Amino acid sequence: MTHHQPTRGRPRVALVTCSRFADLYPDDRLVLAPLAARGVTVEAAVWDDPRVDWAGYDLVVLRSPWDYAPRRDEFVAWAASVPTLVNPGDVVRWNTDKRYLGELAAAGVPTVPTSWVVPGDDWAPPPTPGRYVVKPTVSAGSLDTGRYDPADPAHRDLAVAHVRRLTAAGRTAMVQPYLDAVDTAGETALLFVAGPDGLTFSHAIRKGAMLDGPDLGVEGLYRPERIDARTPTGEQLAVAGRVLAEVPGGARRLLYARVDLIPGPDGAPVLIELELTEPSLFLGHADGAAERLADAVLVHLARH
């Protein structure tokens, strides 16, 4: 990617990425032209590059630092050190550990039922019928995640081994029922960006089912996804609003948010994940999405 040279009076914005995508993930590049058209000097910057002068930017925007999970403590400390970071460092700390789902559930937000297995705990597969999912509380790109069928003895052994592998590494595992509706309805991701009065809905997409069995490892930083544009229902928008209302410190501080919903057993939407740190925003799947994100950056530049 060609780095824009600073111009007197033009705000400087960093789009934070990882070394694998040092020139930005292709979808994120879509916002470069709209930002330039709005008078913003924009550069890609790798989060753990010691040569970057973060204080030299008027705004630092998290985009694709997808290699942070094995070094979450280092990443959270870095985020806390960048005062112009969006989303803010305290949100990053809260959102990069999926135990936030338990807090949201306690606040009355409809979420996928989740149990937690901390290092040192013994765990046995749930006795109830129905497939379930095992994953770590700290991860990105659906890595270290598997789907298991309790009717298959081999799956039971693989699930136990999966949990033990996570906890032996000092990680907390989470176990959730696999919601079958994802195989037909898919997962709905609702994207929100900052406006003058707080977050506003931008667009939504449908993600197809990604998990097809036990965790046997994935090459790369994320699992491939099948993405299509989608129009959300009023019920989905209402649940997303309930989710965002519970963000610590208030959703008004956010540049963007992605709320991932799946139909529960009764068909009503439930939260599978709230993405506030490094979500794909699927700018290429909705007309005007990149422009709306660029406008959101201007909103935060004005605040800073």
Side-chain angles (χ1 to χ4, degrees):
M1 186 187 77
T2 300
H3 292 264
H4 300 276
Q5 295 302 312
T7 303
R8 186 179 300 276
R10 291 168 64 98
R12 293 183 71 218
V13 170
L15 300 184
V16 180
T17 183
C18 59
S19 57
R20 171 74 178 274
F21 298 106
D23 288 333
L24 298 177
Y25 189 67
D27 191 68
D28 289 330
R29 293 178 196 149
L30 298 177
V31 78
L32 296 179
L35 283 172
R38 287 156 174 77
V40 176
T41 295
V42 59
E43 300 174 3
V46 175
W47 74 271
D48 58 352
D49 184 346
R51 299 169 298 175
V52 177
D53 176 18
W54 299 106
Y57 294 102
D58 298 289
L59 197 68
V60 179
V61 178
L62 284 168
R63 284 311 318 122
S64 51
W66 293 333
D67 60 355
Y68 79 84
R71 296 181 289 156
R72 176 179 175 262
D73 289 347
E74 180 185 345
F75 180 68
V76 166
W78 166 82
S81 75
V82 183
T84 58
L85 187 71
V86 283
N87 290 330
D90 63 300
V91 171
V92 170
R93 176 182 293 277
W94 179 76
N95 189 238
T96 50
D97 187 324
K98 294 181 179 63
R99 281 178 285 191
Y100 70 78
L101 289 171
E103 297 179 30
L104 294 178
V109 173
T111 64
V112 177
T114 306
S115 58
W116 318 92
V117 187
V118 301
D121 279 0
D122 290 326
W123 179 81
T128 54
R131 295 173 293 178
Y132 54 91
V133 173
V134 174
K135 56 186 173 183
T137 58
V138 177
S139 68
S142 296
L143 299 183
D144 300 310
T145 301
R147 186 189 74 186
Y148 300 92
D149 184 348
D152 185 333
H155 274 223
R156 294 175 63 87
D157 292 341
L158 287 169
V160 170
H162 186 174
V163 171
R164 285 178 178 168
R165 187 166 65 249
L166 293 175
T167 57
R171 306 170 78 182
T172 296
M174 51 195 292
V175 183
Q176 299 172 319
Y178 183 81
L179 300 180
D180 292 329
V182 74
D183 294 330
T184 51
E187 185 176 320
T188 300
L190 293 87
L191 286 303
F192 296 81
V193 296
D197 300 316
L199 286 183
T200 183
F201 174 73
S202 173
H203 59 288
I205 57 93
R206 176 192 184 276
K207 294 197 291 182
M210 291 188 294
L211 300 180
D212 54 8
D215 173 41
L216 301 176
V218 175
E219 293 293 331
L221 295 177
Y222 58 90
R223 290 178 183 266
E225 299 172 313
R226 164 71 186 272
I227 306 298
D228 301 289
R230 167 166 279 180
T231 300
T233 66
E235 189 177 20
Q236 288 172 329
L237 286 166
V239 170
R242 292 176 63 185
V243 172
L244 295 174
E246 298 298 332
V247 173
R252 181 178 172 80
R253 298 189 301 148
L254 306 179
L255 174 67
Y256 52 69
R258 198 182 91 193
V259 182
D260 295 345
L261 304 175
I262 294 179
D266 62 355
V270 297
L271 179 70
I272 185 71
E273 196 158 350
L274 171 60
E275 297 264 20
L276 304 179
T277 302
E278 33 65 40
S280 294
L281 297 178
F282 308 112
L283 301 177
H285 288 79
D287 290 341
E291 288 73 17
R292 289 189 287 275
L293 180 60
D295 287 337
V297 169
L298 293 186
V299 168
H300 276 270
L301 280 169
R303 292 178 186 172
H304 282 276

